[in-house]
Amino acid sequence: MCTAFRDGFQSAYGARVQTKDFLPALEAARDAGIDYFEAGGGARFQSLYFYCQEDAFDMMDAFRQTAGPDANLQTLARGVNVVGLESQSSDVIKMHAELFHKHGITTIRNFDALNDVNNLIYSGQCIADAGLLHQVVVTMMELPPGCEGAHDADFYADTLQQILDADIPYDAVCFKDASGTAVPSKVYETIKRARKMLPADAYIHFHTHETAGVSVLANKAALDAGANAIDLSLAPCSGGTCQPDVLVMWHALRGSEYELDVDIDKVREAEEIFKECMADYFLPPEAVAVEPLIPWSPMPGGALTANTQMLRDNGIMEKYPDMIRAMSEVVRLGGYGTSVTPVSQFYFQQAFNNVMFGPWEKIAEPYGQMVLGYFGKTPVPPDPKIVELASKQLELEPTTDPPLERNDADPNKGLEAARKKLKENNLPETDENLFIVATCKDKGLAFLQGKAEFGVRKVDKPAEAASAAGVATPPAPGQPAEYTVTVDGKDYFLAFNGNNVVVDGNVFQVSLAPRSGDSSETAAPATSGATTSVKAQMPGVLLKAKVNPGDRVSSGQALFILEAMKMEVPVASPCDGVVKEVMVQPGQQVANGQELAILG
C-alpha cells in the first residue's frame, strides 16, 4: 500500500496538506501502477478542519475520482476513538463507517492503541456492516531497554487470539508498528506465529516507519515470515519518520524472491512530480532523519513531526531533546500502551508537562485518564503512584467500565449532542455536519461557521530570496516580521509578532515604543492600589477568555484556557479579586510568563 498521501503527509508535514496540491502526484502514482492507497482517516481527518480550511469528505471524494473506481482506498481508524483523540459513542462509531463508505473508501484499518480488544468489537462490526473491508490491527512497538511484561511475540499472539475469540469480522490482519521500533527478529517471530494461528488464506499486512533506521530489515523479516503486504511511501515524504520509499524497498528486494509489481521508472517520474507538488511546503529536518534515541523513547513518525512543529509554533523547540528523554519514564510508568495515536500523544503531553512544570507536578488530563482506565485496559497495570497522582489531580476515580458503555451514557457525547450544537448555531443538519461536530468539537463547529484557522506551513519564497540577498522585506498584514541578524559572524533568527519577540526559538514578551529624547517620558505611569498579574504558565494559543473586566474572581478559578500540544490548559487566578484589565484575545499566541490579565 502507498502511504504517501496519508501517513506520509502526517509524518512529514503534520498532516497539514491541501488537496489541490497533491492530486497531480496521486495521478502520477496511479499511472505508475499503484492501485492501493492510504487515502485519509487518522490525523488527516481532523487536520483538514483544524488547519487546512477543507472538508475531509470532499478530500476523499476527490481522492476517489483521481485514483479511479477500481483502486483500493484505505483509511485509518482508532477503534472507539474512530478519527479523534477521544473515544466516541455507538452512534458516532456507526456513522463513521457509513459515511466513509459513502465517500468512496474501500477498506478501514482499525486499531486500538492499548490492544484492548473490547475497543475493536463494535467498531469492527460497524465497518463490516457498512460494506467496507475491515483490516483489524495488533499494534506493536519495542519497550524502552530494561522494560518487560508486554510487547513481545507472546503478547501479540495473545492479542490476536483474543480478536479471533471475539469473533470480530475481518478481511485482513495488520501488525502496525507506528514508532518503527519493533526489533526485526521479533517482527519475524510474531508474524510467523500469526501465520500458524490464522487460516491458510488469511491476508497479513505489516506497517512500520524508518524512524529508528530498521524499517527495510523489518519489512523483509515480515515478508520472510509470511506477510502478504507492506506499506511504502514516496519522496519527498519517505524515509525518516515516514515509511521507506518504494524505490528503496525495490532496490533492497532485488535478487530476492520478492518483487514490487509497479513500473519503477514511472514511480521515479511520479516522485519528481510529487516533489514539485510539495516544493512550497516547509519540511522539518527531523522528518527525513533517523533518530537513534527513538528505541529509548518510542515516538511515532506522525506524532514526532506534529509535536516538533507545535514546539516551533510556541517558540520552545530547544526543549524537544528534554521531552524525548522524558518520554522513556512516561512510557515505563503508564502501562505500556502502544506509542501510536492517541496514546503517543498522551505520552508526549505528559513528557511535555514533566519538562515544563517539573516531573509529575502536573498530570496531563488524557494521560491521567489513560492510567485510570478511561480508554480501556492497558497491557500492564500502570504504576500505582502515578494512578494515585492522576486520581487526585484530575479528581477522578479509577474505572474498569468499558469506554463504549460510558460514552453511550454521556449526554455530552453522541449525535444528539452534536445535533444540539448545530441547531444552536443555525447550521444545517447533515450526517457529515453531525459527524464533524461530534469528532472535532469546537474546531469542527468553527470550520462549519467559516471561522477555521489556516495553519498550512509553506515556505515564503520571496522572503527566503530576500533574506539570501540581505534585503529585509516588510511582513504581510497580521504576520510576524522575521529577520536574520548577524552578530560577530554568527546568524540569529529574530521575529517580531505583536508584543512577542522570538530569538532563535526562545519567546520573550517585550514592550515597544518610539524612542524619545526625554527619558522621563518613558517612565511607566504610577498605579494606585495593589494589583496582581495573571501570567501564562506555558506558551500556547489562547483558546478562551472566561472573564471580562469587572468580574469578581476567586483564587484557583480558571480565567483563561490555553491550547498547547493538543491540550487545553486552564490558567487559574492566583488570588481573590476583581478583573481590572484583560490583555489578550482568543486566537492570540502567548509566551511563557506573558501577562494575560490584571487583578485588583
Side-chain angles (χ1 to χ4, degrees), residues 80-269:
V80 294
N81 288 48
V82 290
V83 287
L85 290 178
E86 65 175 41
S87 55
Q88 300 291 338
S89 57
S90 298
D91 52 0
V92 176
I93 294 169
K94 182 173 183 288
M95 180 176 279
H96 161 253
E98 293 169 348
L99 282 177
F100 277 51
H101 181 265
K102 173 184 174 181
H103 288 278
I105 300 306
T106 315
T107 305
I108 292 184
R109 174 179 286 174
N110 187 36
F111 73 91
D112 181 68
L114 300 180
N115 279 312
D116 185 339
V117 172
N118 288 325
N119 289 338
L120 298 174
I121 295 172
Y122 180 73
S123 56
Q125 188 64 56
C126 288
I127 291 167
D129 290 346
L132 293 154
L133 300 178
H134 179 217
Q135 190 175 99
V136 69
V137 177
V138 177
T139 58
M140 305 178 73
M141 72 172 181
E142 194 64 33
L143 292 174
C147 296
E148 58 183 18
H151 291 285
D152 53 22
D154 288 339
F155 172 72
Y156 299 134
D158 180 63
T159 303
L160 178 58
Q161 189 60 57
Q162 290 180 51
I163 290 171
L164 298 176
D165 291 344
D167 202 25
I168 300 172
Y170 68 90
D171 299 277
V173 174
C174 176
F175 291 90
K176 178 178 172 66
D177 175 18
S179 59
T181 56
V183 175
S185 60
K186 190 176 294 183
V187 171
Y188 178 86
E189 183 182 354
T190 297
I191 293 180
K192 195 75 172 177
R193 290 175 65 169
R195 178 53 71 198
K196 293 178 180 178
M197 296 170 64
L198 294 166
D201 60 349
Y203 194 88
I204 297 178
H205 204 130
F206 177 66
H207 169 98
T208 191
H209 291 243
E210 179 60 4
T211 320
V214 295
S215 66
V216 170
L217 187 57
N219 275 339
K220 180 62 162 57
L223 294 173
D224 289 342
N228 300 92
I230 55 176
D231 289 346
L232 301 172
S233 192
L234 300 170
C237 43
S238 59
T241 57
C242 311
Q243 280 69 56
D245 198 284
V246 171
L247 300 181
V248 171
M249 202 69 214
W250 173 82
H251 183 64
L253 294 174
R254 293 172 71 184
S256 74
E257 64 270 42
Y258 311 110
E259 63 181 54
L260 301 181
D261 188 18
V262 293
D263 186 324
I264 205 65
D265 291 322
K266 287 187 176 181
V267 170
R268 290 176 60 191
E269 294 173 11

Side-chain angles (χ1 to χ4, degrees), residues 308-545:
T308 56
Q309 290 290 59
M310 284 187 281
L311 293 176
R312 281 190 179 92
D313 290 347
N314 288 294
I316 50 172
M317 185 61 185
E318 80 280 0
K319 299 288 188 182
Y320 171 63
D322 294 335
M323 292 172 190
I324 282 293
R325 283 191 288 271
M327 275 273 296
S328 183
E329 182 181 37
V330 168
V331 174
R332 289 171 189 268
L333 302 182
Y336 296 164
T338 311
S339 192
V340 60
T341 309
V343 168
S344 57
Q345 194 62 31
F346 303 165
Y347 285 153
F348 194 81
Q349 288 168 342
Q350 188 59 55
F352 176 89
N353 282 0
N354 284 359
V355 170
M356 298 300 294
F357 301 107
W360 306 106
E361 289 296 320
K362 184 175 179 60
I363 297 292
E365 184 175 356
Y367 182 85
Q369 290 178 341
M370 178 186 71
V371 300
L372 291 170
Y374 284 83
F375 290 92
K377 185 180 179 182
T378 54
V380 301
D383 184 272
K385 292 181 180 178
I386 302 302
V387 173
E388 184 179 354
L389 272 176
S391 182
K392 182 178 179 181
Q393 290 189 26
L394 302 184
E395 297 181 349
L396 288 173
E397 291 299 319
T399 182
T400 57
D401 294 340
L404 194 58
E405 291 181 12
R406 192 174 57 254
N407 293 341
D408 285 343
D410 187 344
N412 296 314
K413 291 196 173 187
L415 296 182
E416 194 54 45
R419 185 173 289 111
K420 183 179 178 181
K421 284 191 176 182
L422 290 174
K423 187 175 181 180
E424 289 172 349
N425 290 277
N426 296 314
L427 291 167
E429 183 185 315
T430 65
D431 286 348
E432 285 81 0
N433 285 358
L434 285 168
F435 188 79
I436 291 165
V437 171
T439 54
C440 299
K441 295 192 170 292
D442 288 344
K443 288 190 175 182
L445 199 61
F447 168 80
L448 295 175
Q449 293 171 322
K451 299 177 182 178
E453 66 176 271
F454 187 72
V456 174
R457 301 181 178 95
K458 292 192 175 183
V459 179
D460 186 344
K461 296 292 184 182
E464 194 176 64
S467 177
V471 179
T473 58
Q479 296 298 311
E482 299 182 353
Y483 305 93
T484 298
V485 180
T486 304
V487 180
D488 294 334
K490 183 177 179 181
D491 290 340
Y492 297 88
F493 173 76
L494 184 67
F496 291 87
N497 188 4
N499 62 344
N500 291 339
V501 176
V502 180
V503 182
D504 271 8
N506 297 302
V507 180
F508 303 93
Q509 186 185 9
V510 300
S511 176
L512 298 177
R515 184 175 181 180
S516 168
D518 184 358
S519 61
S520 64
E521 292 181 9
T522 64
T527 58
S528 59
T531 60
T532 302
S533 291
V534 179
K535 296 183 178 181
Q537 72 270 48
M538 63 192 299
V541 174
L542 187 74
L543 196 61
K544 296 176 185 175

